Every structure is written in C-alpha cells, then in structure tokens.
Amino acid sequence: MRTVLVTGPGGAGRTTLAAATALAAARKGARALLLTTESSAPETVLGTALGAEAPTPIAPGLHARRIDPGDRFRQEFLAFQERAGAALDLLGAAPLDEDELTELPGAEDFALLQALRAEHASDAWDTVVVDMPSAAETIRLLALPNQVRRYLRRLLPPERQAARALRPVLAQLAGVPMPAQKLYEAAERWETELSAVQRVIDDPGTSVRLVTEAGPVAAANLRAIRAGLALHGRRTDGVVVNRLLPTGSADPFLAALSGSQQTALKALREEFPDVPVHEVPHLGRDPQGVAELDELIDGPAGEIGDTGTGDAGETGEPGETGDRGRNGETAGPRPDPWTVEDRLATDGLLVWRVPLPGAERRGLGLVRRGDEIVVTVGRFRRIRTLPSVLRRCTVSGAGLRDGVLEIRFSPDPDLWPKSD
C-alpha cells in the first residue's frame, strides 16, 4: 500500500492537491482513500459532506474520511477512566461524564496517527492520501511516536517491569489494583499502539509530498522543511507547485506575475534536483467538486497522481525505499539512512553519516548526552541512541558536506576492546 502525506506552507492549497492526488490514483484504478482532519475545506473541494465514522464514497475508486479528534479523545478518556476506576475511587475522584469532555491540545495529532494506522491495517486500500497539517507541524507530528516511546522508556524502564509479577499479589492483599500495575499496563498499550504507528510511518511505501506556491521565498522555506524531514528520515517524493499562471500574457500585470513565478519555479528545480517538481496551473478559481479536480489532473498536472516509490529516497541513499520483491511487494522496512562508515584503518575514525539535504551550517547543533546524540537542524531536533560501536567512542568533530552531516568518532581507549 502507498501512503502519501501531503503537506506544505499554510495557504498553498495542500487540501485541494491532496484531494486531486487521491482522485488521480483512483482514476488509474487504485482503491484510494483521502484522510483529513479539516472540517469544511475538504467538503468544499470534494463537493460532498464527509462522515467521521466510515469513509464516504466520492467517485469510482475514491473514498474520503474526516477524522473527528474530539470523538476519539472522548472515547480514549472514558476508556482510561473505566480502567482506572478502582484507583480513582480510592483517591476519592469524581468521574467525568462524556458530555463535559472537550479535546485537549494535541488530540488531533494522535487521532490522525491512529486513523492512519487503522486504515493501513485494514488492507482495504491501495493508496491512502493524507491531508496533513502545515509542514512544520507535520514534521513534529511524524516525530511524535518515537519521542513518546522514548519518554515512556525513560519514565518506565522496561527492565524494571520484571517486578510486575509481585503486583497482583500486592493488589489482592490491599484489596484494590495497584496504581503502578495500571501504569505499566497503560505503558504497554501505548507502546503497542505507538510501535504500530511508527511502522506505518517507516513503511517503504510511505512518503511526503510538498505543496507550495511559486513565490520569491518558496525555495528558502522548502529548504528548511526538507532538512527537517530528512533529519527524521522522512522521504520526499515530490514537490507540487500550485496555481501557476500561463506564460506569454499580453497583459503587463499578468506577464510580470507569471515571470516572477517562473523565476521561483526555476529556483525550486535547482533546490530539488533529485526530486520531481510538478506544475499545477491556476484554474482562475478554487476547484470545487470532482469535475473541477479532474481539470487539474487531466492536464499537465496529471503526474501528481503518480504514487510510485522510485528507486531512491530523498536522502539519495540507494535502496532507501526498500528492496522490491515479486509483484512489487516491499521485502522489508526501509533501511536506516544514518550509516556508520569504518575509517579506522586509514584515519583511526568511525564516521556516522546523516543525510540532511537542505541543511545549512549556521542552523546545525550537535550535543552528545551519554549513549544518545542530539542533532538540531534549524527549529527541528532529533535524539538518537548511538549504535553500540559508537558508544565506545568519543565525538571528535563533525562537518556538513554536500548535504550530509558527518559526525566523527574516535575510539575511547578505556572502552575500546584491546587487541592481544
């Protein structure tokens, strides 16, 4: 199954292009689903009211579903309240009713990830297109499962869970469930759910598609977004340049606007030499309904429906999209693009290579904390656990060359194995 996550700067038309991408996939014979958390814009674009309980048929082969974060939040909170009922009674807590619950900040992110995981597991679709939040929020959202899992491991270390065998006995003696037991049980459920979401995000068939308008700052904005996506190992499969005016107009005003767009388009192609840049014409209006979306995909913009994975990912590392087996099935998860290069024989170093296309030196930060390393690219940050071989080394330097951050490690004499 292919999963295309459509995002971009606010106001660039990502909801329209997400719908057009899903429709184009359906027109090519795929069972396509559009997922969105937006309430009104997708319905206007598709010309159909969307339900939250089940996907709504839109056109032959195409369905769409609006995710209701408030409903999921209420369901999850009430389920937690029921599971923790005995402990809450012990504390004298008054339970909350469903009609007094409103979702908290962040509920939309978890609802979207959960819906994506559920639809991925249903095996009902060939292509799922997700109308994601703005680009910066999308990067943070895609990093969320790993971050939460890291927090859980730090707060509730798995090695300490061996003592759980004693908790049922203690619970019987006390007459109520032990809070620690419930806490570890909840952590297990969260870990299971988050791991399933992470597998979808890391799946070789999942990629990010960027939507932008051709303006004077488009290339600079997308450069930072591209670097943030690469930092978290996300693959960019294309850039869609929306609302392009026709060239050669006799009107001086339109000719000037079109010329400015063409200059920006050229800069985008130079910024993304290894990624397809698709052009979408301005229809003179905002598309509404399937018929007008067809106008977008029947012309020069028809390639936006191409959901093929290609042979190389955004990082330029061969095989990042996974090996392909018979009938095009993926043979396994996408390999980690962060690779360790052995230069011990020549330079006495090990080098951890981190592909970061679009990154700039002035926005880079690097800090080692124990067995972890913190890499900052602009406003984005990622924490990675060091591979076992690098934990026995010290960081001796780093440099950014040709879109790759090379972190140099020197063997620590006190930790490195001694040769006889």
Side-chain angles (χ1 to χ4, degrees):
M1 194 184 83
R2 283 286 289 120
T3 303
V4 182
L5 310 176
V6 180
T7 186
R14 62 179 183 275
T15 296
T16 298
L17 270 298
T21 300
L23 178 62
R27 295 296 192 224
K28 294 179 180 179
R31 299 170 299 167
L33 173 70
L34 173 68
L35 281 179
T36 181
T37 57
E38 299 290 336
S39 57
S40 58
E43 296 183 348
T44 301
V45 170
L46 294 170
T48 305
L50 303 182
E53 297 298 326
T56 301
I58 303 298
L62 174 63
H63 289 69
R65 177 186 166 196
R66 179 178 58 82
I67 301 163
D68 183 354
D71 181 64
R72 170 164 171 77
F73 174 80
R74 287 187 290 272
Q75 292 177 10
E76 291 294 321
F77 187 91
L78 292 173
F80 165 77
Q81 188 171 252
E82 182 178 354
R83 289 193 300 265
L88 294 173
D89 289 342
L90 184 65
L91 298 172
L96 295 170
D97 296 326
E98 181 176 357
D99 58 6
E100 61 180 313
L101 293 174
T102 57
E103 69 267 27
L104 297 175
E108 182 174 305
D109 294 345
F110 284 102
L112 178 57
L113 291 173
Q114 190 276 337
L116 176 58
R117 182 202 63 78
E119 297 296 351
H120 200 274
S122 72
D123 200 30
W125 317 105
D126 302 309
T127 300
V128 173
V129 179
V130 187
D131 177 20
M132 299 292 287
S134 63
E137 291 304 314
T138 290
I139 294 171
R140 296 187 180 98
L141 187 152
L142 296 177
L144 186 61
N146 262 340
Q147 289 177 341
V148 175
R149 293 172 69 196
R150 177 178 177 271
Y151 297 156
L152 288 174
R153 288 192 294 269
R154 289 289 297 271
L155 296 173
L156 299 169
E159 59 271 15
R160 296 185 184 178
Q161 297 187 33
R164 286 181 301 162
L166 297 176
R167 295 194 185 102
V169 177
L170 297 175
Q172 290 179 4
L173 294 176
V176 296
M178 299 298 289
Q181 179 184 354
K182 291 294 183 182
L183 193 60
Y184 276 106
E185 290 173 355
E188 283 186 357
R189 287 191 296 271
W190 293 336
E191 172 64 26
T192 300
E193 179 76 12
L194 292 167
S195 296
V197 171
Q198 192 64 50
R199 284 194 295 273
V200 175
I201 295 174
D202 290 339
D203 189 277
T206 298
S207 62
V208 177
R209 189 163 298 180
L210 299 176
V211 176
T212 184
E213 290 189 299
V217 297
N221 284 342
L222 292 194
R223 184 185 306 125
I225 291 168
R226 185 188 194 193
L229 288 168
L231 175 65
H232 292 283
R234 306 281 70 85
R235 184 172 68 89
T236 302
D237 72 3
V239 176
V240 183
V241 187
N242 197 18
R243 302 181 183 127
L244 285 172
L245 297 170
T247 59
S249 173
D251 186 307
F253 179 75
L254 292 179
L257 286 178
S258 175
S260 176
Q261 286 187 335
Q262 291 302 311
T263 299
L265 182 60
K266 179 182 178 182
L268 284 168
R269 293 190 182 281
E270 292 173 350
E271 184 66 37
F272 292 85
D274 53 341
V275 175
V277 177
H278 309 298
E279 302 178 26
V280 177
H282 201 307
L283 296 182
R285 62 192 182 282
D286 292 329
Q288 296 185 23
V290 171
E292 295 190 1
L293 287 176
D294 271 325
E295 292 185 46
L296 287 181
I297 63 178
D298 286 342
E303 68 271 14
I304 64 174
D306 181 11
T307 55
T309 56
D311 297 324
E314 161 67 16
T315 63
E317 296 290 336
E320 187 193 351
T321 56
D323 296 329
R324 308 297 292 185
R326 292 183 180 180
N327 303 319
E329 299 101 338
T330 52
R334 185 183 306 152
D336 187 353
W338 294 34
T339 56
V340 177
E341 181 179 344
D342 187 344
R343 297 183 189 172
L344 290 173
T346 56
D347 303 320
L349 297 171
L350 295 170
V351 179
W352 207 7
R353 293 172 51 83
V354 183
L356 292 177
E360 298 178 338
R361 286 185 175 86
R362 63 183 178 182
L364 286 177
L366 191 65
V367 177
R368 178 174 179 175
R369 301 182 61 176
D371 289 341
E372 295 180 326
I373 199 158
V374 184
V375 181
T376 302
V377 179
R379 51 183 165 168
F380 305 109
R381 175 177 297 177
R382 186 177 185 186
I383 302 175
R384 285 288 305 262
T385 300
L386 294 172
S388 58
V389 67
L390 299 183
R391 297 175 200 172
R392 302 190 296 272
C393 302
T394 59
V395 177
S396 56
L400 183 67
R401 297 181 181 85
D402 299 325
V404 177
L405 174 63
E406 296 185 345
I407 310 173
R408 299 184 294 275
F409 290 81
S410 300
D412 186 334
D414 295 331
L415 300 176
W416 199 257
K418 304 289 192 301
S419 56
D420 295 330

